[in-house]
């Protein structure tokens, strides 16, 4: 059996290892890349040393041409220009006092010796939301609102999405697991430290989304004729603002008009005019409706809606062979504008179009206040006096004589041709607080209304007047004041919530009725002219 000498074997291995090391020492080896001296960006000075956020700063130094990142406190600045000895950056809006950190394409990094100090702009003209839904995002608008520091709802700090913040709008998240009360107050602090007024108490909603307010798309107050006449139909019409001097606008001073002479209709089912507007963002609406005021002066018309969205066209009928005498509201769900009408390129748009249909008659079309409403907008006309009937009833039990009838002054009607007049001479007034007459109507059905207002237009020729309302419902009488010692020298709107006509005025048998009543109050003689009585959804303003 052969035996191995371990000592001898180890000695031979050591000799071989030494020889290998000697050979390697005499061979060229590739250099380690980390041994290369890469240029390091160096800033000697930057100016200005203090600047308004969002403005430009110039940095000067050496080896700057390969810089690909400039930061302040970890926030990246926009590099505007780049040279070997100078670069310019645009400052971010939300930064704090920090040195500039520069990094180049060789992964070399340096930091300025001096700290840059930002100057913040004041947060001003803040617009808070008019309602808040717990668990949702709310929008706060204003000048430089992206420079807020913190936002509070009552005393709770809210989460602000500064990543998507704009100079004029920020989005704030309201938690869903807290109760803030029926109303709550928004407040904020700012980076500049300027004082920002807190909000008024804002209604809070829990578990449901409130109705959005009306979004007006066209009101025609700019006086521009918005009608587009499609050339492909070869139908001749007349269009313009306020085409009929006898027709007053439903809201404001102007309305859009179109007239079609039957002799120029050029066949059935031809579009002859439409108005077009951008399709708005409907995300805040629960049940968006296309709503507008329409007056056809007794002529039958046919109106359609067309919605262009994402290159597709969707359509539907709005008014089918119907006529109106005076202004009426058309309110149509956007979801029902869903007919497949083909395709058309361009931006998302909404159209209200009028067609000859199969109607042989002349057409008069007056359009006002085109808007998006949350749900169907309703309005009930009670009396526009165009029937020519004097609806005044004298209050015989008081024995106060008055003069009444239609158009008893040199005024022009607010709407149409007629208005109701009631004139009380001072010598005939008798004692104080005596009803001397009223207008009475069947009480309207309010089941379609969310917030019904009794609305009418009034002119007093400068005399002070006192007008009350009485509602007779199921044998009970409820009352309240509509106009208290007011004097006006032009047509003005009176719009009062029917829910406020709730005073206990006793009982009265008979059908449910609505009265607009005139009282001597503690006033002298008076002159009252009333036009276009209606029930509206919400308050109407001039």
């Amino acid at each position: 059996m052969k035996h191995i000498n371990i000592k001898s074997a180890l000695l031979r291995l050591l000799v071989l290892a030494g020889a290998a090391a000697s050979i390697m020492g005499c061979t060229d080896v590739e250099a380690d890349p980390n041994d290369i001296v890469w240029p390091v960006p160096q800033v000697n000075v930057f100016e200005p040393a203090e600047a308004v956020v969002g403005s430009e700063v110039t940095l000067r130094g050496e080896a700057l041409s390969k810089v690909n990142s400039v930061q302040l406190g970890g926030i990246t600045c926009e590099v505007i220009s780049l040279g070997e000895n100078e670069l310019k950056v645009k400052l971010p809006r939300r930064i704090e006092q920090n040195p500039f950190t520069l990094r180049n394409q060789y992964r070399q990094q340096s930091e300025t010796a001096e700290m840059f100090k930002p100057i913040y702009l004041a947060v001003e003209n803040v617009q808070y939301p008019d309602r808040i839904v717990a668990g949702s995002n709310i929008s706060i608008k204003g000048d430089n609102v992206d420079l807020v520091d913190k936002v509070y709802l009552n005393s709770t700090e809210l989460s602000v999405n500064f990543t998507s913040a704009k100079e004029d709008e920020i989005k704030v998240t309201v938690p869903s697991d807290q109760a803030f009360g029926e109303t709550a107050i928004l407040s904020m602090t700012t980076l500049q430290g300027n004082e920002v007024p807190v909000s008024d108490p804002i209604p809070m909603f829990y578990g449901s989304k409130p109705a959005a307010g009306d979004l007006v798309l066209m009101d025609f107050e700019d006086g521009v004729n918005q009608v587009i006449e499609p050339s492909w139909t070869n139908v001749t019409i007349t269009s313009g603002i306020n085409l009929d001097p006898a027709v007053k606008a439903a809201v404001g001073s102007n309305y859009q008009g179109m007239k079609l002479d039957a002799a120029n209709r050029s066949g059935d089912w031809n579009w002859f005019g439409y108005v077009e507007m951008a399709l708005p963002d409907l995300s805040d609406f629960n049940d968006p409706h296309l709503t507008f005021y329409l007056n056809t002066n007794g002529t039958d018309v046919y109106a359609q809606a067309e919605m262009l969205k994402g290159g597709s066209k969707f359509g539907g009928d709005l008014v089918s062979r119907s006529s109106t005498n005076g202004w009426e509201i058309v309110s149509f769900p956007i979801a029902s504008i869903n007919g497949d009408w083909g395709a058309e390129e361009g931006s998302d748009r909404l159209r209200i179009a009028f067609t000859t249909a199969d109607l042989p008659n002349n057409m008069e079309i007056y359009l006002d206040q085109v808007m998006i409403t949350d749900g169907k907008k309703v309005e009930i006309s009670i009396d526009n006096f165009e029937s020519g009937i004097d609806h005044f009833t004298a209050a015989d039990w008081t024995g106060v004589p008055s003069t009444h009838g239609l158009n008893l002054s040199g005024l022009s009607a607010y709407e149409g041709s007629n208005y109701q007049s009631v004139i009380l001479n001072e010598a005939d007034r008798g004692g104080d607080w005596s009803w001397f007459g009223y207008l009475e109507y069947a009480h309207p059905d309010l089941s379609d209304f969310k917030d019904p207002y009794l609305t009418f237009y009034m002119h007093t020729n400068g005399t002070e007047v006192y007008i009350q309302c009485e509602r007779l419902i199921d044998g009970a009488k409820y009352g309240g004041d509509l106009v208290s010692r007011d004097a006006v020298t032009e047509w003005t709107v009176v719009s009062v919530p029917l829910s406020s006509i709730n005073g206990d005025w006793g009982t009265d048998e008979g059908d449910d009725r609505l009265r607009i009543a005139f009282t001597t109050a503690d006033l002298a003689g008076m002159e009252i002219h009333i036009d276009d009585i209606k029930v509206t959804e919400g308050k109407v303003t001039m």
Side-chain angles (χ1 to χ4, degrees):
M1 183 174 180
K2 185 175 181 180
H3 296 276
I4 299 173
N5 188 325
I6 296 176
K7 267 187 180 181
S8 176
L10 287 173
L11 183 60
R12 285 197 295 271
L13 285 172
L14 288 171
V15 171
L16 289 171
S22 177
I23 293 169
M24 289 296 293
C26 299
T27 304
D28 290 334
V29 178
E30 184 177 346
D32 187 336
N34 290 323
D35 293 339
I36 298 176
V37 180
W38 300 104
V40 178
Q42 182 68 42
V43 174
N44 301 324
V45 65
F46 56 81
E47 56 185 10
E50 301 179 8
V52 174
V53 293
S55 62
E56 295 181 8
V57 174
T58 300
L59 293 81
R60 296 186 176 90
E62 302 169 4
L64 301 180
S65 62
K66 303 299 182 181
V67 168
N68 58 8
S69 172
V70 179
Q71 294 187 336
L72 276 169
I75 300 174
T76 300
C77 304
E78 178 187 351
V79 177
I80 297 173
S81 64
L82 196 61
E84 181 64 23
N85 301 113
E86 179 180 292
L87 64 82
K88 290 185 179 180
V89 297
K90 183 177 180 181
L91 298 173
R93 298 268 298 175
R94 294 186 62 83
I95 49 177
E96 298 178 355
Q97 181 169 311
N98 274 295
F100 284 102
T101 300
L102 288 78
R103 185 179 175 88
N104 64 17
Q105 64 188 39
Y106 308 117
R107 300 183 182 179
Q108 303 302 303
Q109 182 172 302
S110 68
E111 193 174 88
T112 59
E114 303 295 329
M115 305 274 277
F116 173 77
K117 183 178 180 181
I119 299 172
Y120 303 115
L121 297 168
V123 178
E124 298 176 316
N125 303 317
V126 173
Q127 302 170 37
Y128 295 106
D130 58 6
R131 60 190 181 279
I132 299 174
V133 181
S136 70
N137 291 326
I138 59 173
S139 172
I140 300 177
K141 299 181 179 180
D143 298 337
N144 305 309
V145 286
D146 60 328
L147 300 181
V148 303
D149 183 20
K150 295 179 180 179
V151 177
Y152 298 91
L153 187 59
N154 293 341
S155 59
T156 300
E157 183 179 346
L158 303 182
S159 173
V160 183
N161 185 353
F162 287 115
T163 302
S164 63
K166 303 175 184 176
E167 294 181 22
D168 59 355
E169 183 178 17
I170 56 173
K171 299 289 186 180
V172 182
T173 301
V174 180
S176 59
D177 57 353
Q178 288 182 246
F180 297 92
E182 292 186 3
T183 62
I185 292 176
L186 282 168
S187 61
M188 61 178 65
T189 59
T190 72
L191 295 177
Q192 190 204 61
N194 69 296
E195 186 174 341
V196 177
V198 303
S199 72
D200 293 329
I202 302 172
M204 289 292 306
F205 295 85
Y206 301 89
S208 63
K209 185 177 178 181
D214 295 347
L215 175 62
V216 177
L217 305 179
M218 279 186 172
D219 60 12
F220 309 105
E221 294 305 299
D222 59 4
V224 177
N225 181 8
Q226 298 288 349
V227 170
I228 300 172
E229 300 180 31
S231 57
W232 66 86
T233 60
N234 197 31
V235 178
T236 303
I237 66 169
T238 303
S239 65
I241 301 296
N242 302 340
L243 281 186
D244 187 341
V247 175
K248 302 287 178 61
V251 180
S253 302
N254 294 336
Y255 62 88
Q256 178 66 64
M258 281 176 270
K259 290 184 179 182
L260 170 66
D261 189 322
N264 298 323
R265 63 189 302 275
S266 187
D268 291 345
W269 300 106
N270 283 318
W271 272 24
F272 56 83
Y274 60 90
V275 294
E276 180 178 87
M277 59 222 82
L279 180 65
D281 178 8
L282 303 177
S283 60
D284 285 340
F285 291 83
N286 299 290
D287 183 21
H289 276 58
L290 176 61
T291 300
F292 54 90
Y293 287 88
L294 180 68
N295 184 348
T296 74
N297 236 2
T299 64
D300 286 343
V301 302
Y302 206 110
Q304 295 179 309
E306 186 175 65
M307 183 166 60
L308 290 77
K309 191 170 184 180
S312 297
K313 289 197 297 184
F314 306 93
D317 292 342
L318 296 175
V319 178
S320 177
R321 305 177 183 86
S322 298
S323 65
T324 74
N325 283 291
W327 290 104
E328 293 185 9
I329 283 186
V330 176
S331 196
F332 193 80
I334 292 287
S336 296
I337 307 173
N338 57 11
D340 182 359
W341 284 17
E344 185 173 332
E345 296 300 320
S347 58
D348 293 351
R349 308 187 293 286
L350 193 60
R351 291 169 176 163
I352 300 173
F354 296 89
T355 173
T356 58
D358 51 5
L359 298 170
N361 53 273
N362 297 337
M363 294 186 190
E364 291 186 40
I365 300 159
Y366 307 122
L367 192 66
D368 202 359
Q369 202 76 0
V370 181
M371 53 193 156
I372 301 295
T373 58
D374 207 341
K376 183 177 181 179
K377 193 174 185 72
V378 288
E379 185 173 288
I380 296 175
S381 177
I382 294 177
D383 198 350
N384 60 12
F385 307 102
E386 295 307 298
S387 65
I389 298 173
D390 176 7
H391 280 119
F392 182 85
T393 300
D396 294 336
W397 64 89
T398 63
V400 178
S402 62
T403 303
H404 54 86
L406 299 183
N407 309 333
L408 296 186
S409 177
L411 303 171
S412 297
Y414 179 81
E415 169 62 39
S417 303
N418 296 331
Y419 55 89
Q420 178 73 56
S421 297
V422 181
I423 299 173
L424 174 67
N425 295 319
E426 183 174 2
D428 298 328
R429 64 184 301 277
D432 290 346
W433 300 105
S434 293
W435 271 25
F436 58 88
Y438 55 89
L439 307 175
E440 183 176 83
Y441 306 95
H443 199 288
D445 178 6
L446 304 178
S447 58
D448 286 338
F449 289 85
K450 297 175 183 176
D451 188 18
Y453 273 62
L454 177 62
T455 299
F456 57 89
Y457 296 89
M458 178 185 75
H459 199 308
T460 73
N461 253 348
T463 64
E464 290 185 317
V465 302
Y466 208 108
I467 304 176
Q468 295 179 306
C469 179
E470 186 176 66
R471 301 173 66 194
L472 290 77
I473 302 173
D474 296 330
K477 289 198 297 185
Y478 306 93
D481 292 341
L482 296 176
V483 178
S484 177
R485 303 178 182 85
D486 291 358
V488 295
T489 55
E490 59 184 4
W491 286 107
T492 189
V493 67
V494 176
S495 196
V496 177
L498 281 170
S499 61
S500 69
I501 311 301
N502 57 10
D504 182 359
W505 282 16
T507 60
D508 196 337
E509 296 301 320
D511 297 333
D512 292 354
R513 305 186 297 284
L514 179 69
R515 289 174 176 164
I516 297 175
F518 312 100
T519 176
T520 59
D522 50 5
L523 303 171
M526 58 187 71
E527 186 174 328
I528 306 164
H529 308 286
I530 289 180
D531 200 359
D532 199 16
I533 305 170
K534 53 193 173 184
V535 177
T536 59
E537 182 65 79
K539 185 174 184 177
V540 174
T541 58
M542 294 292 279

